[in-house]
Amino acid sequence: MSTENEGNEGTAANAVPSVPPVPADAPQGSPESTPASTPDASAYMKTQDAAAAQQSPRTQQPFSPTEEPAAATTPMASMPGTPPPGLQSAAEANWPPPPPPAVPVYAHHGADGGGAGPVWGASAQLHSPEGPRKRRRGGLMAAVVVAALIAGSAGGALGYWAADRNGNGSTTVAASDNPQDLKRDPDTVAGVAAKALPSVVTIDAQGGDGEGGTGTGFVYDKQGHILTNNHVVASAADNGQLTATFSNGKKYNAEVVGRAQGYDVAVLKLKNPPSGLAPLPLGDSDQVAVGDSTIAIGAPFGLSNTVTTGIISAKNRPVASGDGSGGSNSYMSALQTDASINPGNSGGPLLDARGAVIGINSAIQSTGSGMGQTQAGSIGLGFAIPINQATNVAQQLIKTGQPVYPVIGATVTMDERTGGAAIAEQGAGGTAAVAKGGPADKAGLKPGDVITKFDDTVIDSGPTLIGEIWTHKPGDRVTLTYKRDGRTATAEVTLGERKGDS
């Protein structure tokens, strides 16, 4: 799984334009299908160019970053606007109509021009020797048509009635173009998107060395704070340039207030925030259920203000991700969604059906790069940081500028073959694996112990344990179940704290 910047990462010269592209007319025909590759690698939604690492969500190594260069839009062909000339009916041609074809004919203009042949199935008009009677029948029909027109005018249900008689008896009816009839209910996807889009921004991050990319963020409060992913802004955090572009095209300079590498959360502040900012409402990610509807907003591959939908596919999904360097890892107990998320979506909101933020889109599982591609796209496995956790981190960053992490005071291995989170024999740099006087030491844990449960959550690896610990706060009391010499035991642990990223 990659903590992808779902950000289009590229050089400054390839920066994605801040104004979203103008959609073209719908193309004719069906789009070409793209062959799928084996879904076993993940692409990290990150603002750095790097090859996507084939990785499982539970593997030790982080998802590889995928950066998004500026994407060129391809103009689409427009549908012909003029209907073909009137067609001659079978009766007028003095020959009976053949039976309708066995295979349905679709209503689009074909390569043959679509205008010269007879109308299959047109009603034949019987010739009657009684001319006067036929004329009376025509007069009656005219009266019926007039009556229908009067009734249509009085009812007004369809707005207006238009008939085009080009020799084939065709009648077309158009719906009203009254703007009131085009309003969307606020609880529809269109209604939710219309309300949320003005509070979502496309972030362009450019480092001093020209490295950068594009991601997404959203308005956190009325003071101009923007919530996003750390990996979206990391390249521009030191001596770089950050801009935030709203859906109306207005662009503002921004600066980093604080960022938490381990949580993959960052807070920006608009330097000259506009008046009337509307923060997105925050939901409760603990109350989310599998199957709930989701709406993701972001700038996939630089296409700003893109809205996609899906559902919550799973909860508490352990995800380890990084920036590709191997030393900047993030861990989360993520919300999994099948809403389409791609490079450029990172940092954008994952909304519920009401429009409340339940997560920050951060990572995708991907088939990896291939066929000369440098980035991978969505295969329906996206991951978001639960908003409850992200809110705690954001408050810490706004208040102090640095993150605070809960810890157990023990170093665990990233090996997945231990059947849990094994406490290492030795810590980093030759330090003790169990910190003397720390929470784990006070609870009696020792090197070699394998932690199998964190409260009621099953632990199958080191990253899973870290992700679960980081959903809590320092001072929380938890129960750890562990194995030692083939025996199972439990220990009560009060979580300690670590300030800043180390």
Side-chain angles (χ1 to χ4, degrees):
M1 310 181 173
S2 79
T3 59
E4 108 129 9
N5 158 356
E6 297 191 302
N8 311 317
E9 309 250 325
T11 62
N14 293 330
V16 180
S18 59
V19 180
V22 179
D25 295 334
Q28 299 185 37
S30 61
E32 296 181 357
S33 60
T34 303
S37 57
T38 305
D40 60 356
S42 59
Y44 175 41
M45 301 156 118
K46 164 104 185 155
T47 57
Q48 317 266 351
D49 281 320
Q54 295 192 353
Q55 190 79 19
S56 159
R58 302 178 184 269
T59 54
Q60 172 181 353
Q61 298 179 351
F63 303 101
S64 61
T66 58
E67 318 237 315
E68 174 57 17
T73 58
T74 303
M76 302 179 180
S78 59
M79 295 291 288
T82 305
L87 305 180
Q88 185 182 28
S89 70
E92 292 168 342
N94 293 322
W95 48 277
V103 180
V105 178
Y106 296 97
H108 65 245
H109 297 288
D112 58 359
V119 178
W120 300 119
S123 300
Q125 299 180 8
L126 300 179
H127 296 279
S128 171
E130 304 179 18
R133 181 177 300 175
K134 180 176 180 180
R135 285 192 296 272
R136 284 195 300 273
R137 185 181 305 145
L140 177 61
M141 183 62 71
V144 173
V145 171
V146 171
L149 285 172
I150 294 174
S153 174
L158 293 177
Y160 65 90
W161 183 92
D164 181 10
R165 302 181 63 87
N166 291 326
N168 59 359
S170 174
T171 299
T172 59
V173 179
S176 171
D177 59 354
N178 188 334
Q180 294 182 352
D181 295 335
L182 300 179
K183 289 184 178 179
R184 270 66 176 180
D185 292 335
D187 57 350
T188 62
V189 173
V192 170
K195 186 175 182 180
L197 277 168
S199 300
V200 179
V201 297
T202 298
I203 298 172
D204 182 59
Q206 297 298 326
D209 58 357
E211 181 181 338
T214 301
T216 307
F218 60 92
V219 177
Y220 179 72
D221 59 26
K222 293 184 178 181
Q223 287 68 47
H225 289 108
I226 302 295
L227 197 54
T228 185
N229 282 144
N230 171 66
H231 71 257
V232 170
V233 303
S235 63
D238 298 321
N239 303 318
Q241 182 178 4
L242 288 164
T243 59
T245 304
F246 285 80
S247 60
N248 60 7
K250 293 185 178 180
K251 182 182 295 186
Y252 299 86
N253 291 326
E255 59 186 355
V256 176
V257 171
R259 55 196 187 98
Q261 174 183 295
Y263 293 120
D264 196 18
V265 172
V267 175
L268 306 182
K269 177 76 181 299
L270 301 179
K271 292 184 176 180
N272 295 294
S275 60
L277 285 175
L280 287 181
L282 305 181
D284 185 352
S285 52
D286 290 339
Q287 299 300 316
V288 170
V290 173
D292 282 351
S293 297
T294 58
I295 301 171
I297 303 179
F301 297 102
L303 301 175
S304 301
N305 310 317
T306 294
V307 177
T308 55
T309 63
I311 62 169
I312 292 293
S313 306
K315 296 179 60 178
N316 304 317
R317 186 70 78 192
V319 175
S321 58
D323 63 359
S325 66
S328 303
N329 297 338
S330 303
Y331 302 92
M332 70 183 89
S333 183
L335 297 175
Q336 179 181 324
T337 181
D338 65 349
S340 181
I341 296 175
N342 287 285
N345 276 108
S346 274
L350 183 68
L351 309 175
D352 62 15
R354 304 169 302 157
V357 182
I358 55 175
I360 301 178
N361 300 317
S362 181
I364 59 173
Q365 175 78 26
S366 176
T367 57
S369 59
M371 301 295 291
Q373 298 177 351
T374 58
Q375 287 193 43
S378 172
I379 58 172
L381 294 174
F383 304 93
I385 302 167
I387 193 60
N388 290 7
Q389 177 182 347
T391 300
N392 291 335
V393 178
Q395 291 172 348
Q396 295 166 2
L397 295 176
I398 292 173
K399 183 177 181 180
T400 68
Q402 63 178 345
V404 176
Y405 298 93
V407 297
I408 63 171
T411 301
V412 296
T413 68
M414 298 294 108
D415 193 345
E416 293 186 345
R417 298 168 295 178
T418 58
I423 298 179
E425 294 297 331
Q426 196 173 51
T431 60
V434 178
K436 186 177 181 179
D441 184 40
K442 292 179 179 179
L445 294 173
K446 297 179 179 181
D449 290 347
V450 179
I451 300 172
T452 57
K453 291 183 71 176
F454 183 94
D455 285 337
D456 295 327
T457 302
V458 174
I459 302 300
D460 58 2
S461 67
T464 302
L465 175 62
I466 296 173
E468 284 300 318
I469 292 174
W470 285 357
T471 62
H472 290 67
K473 296 179 180 179
D476 287 351
R477 191 169 180 83
V478 300
T479 300
L480 299 182
T481 302
Y482 64 96
K483 289 183 179 181
R484 179 189 297 169
D485 299 329
R487 296 181 180 181
T488 299
T490 60
E492 298 295 322
V493 177
T494 300
L495 299 177
E497 73 174 26
R498 186 193 83 206
K499 294 183 178 180
D501 286 308
S502 58

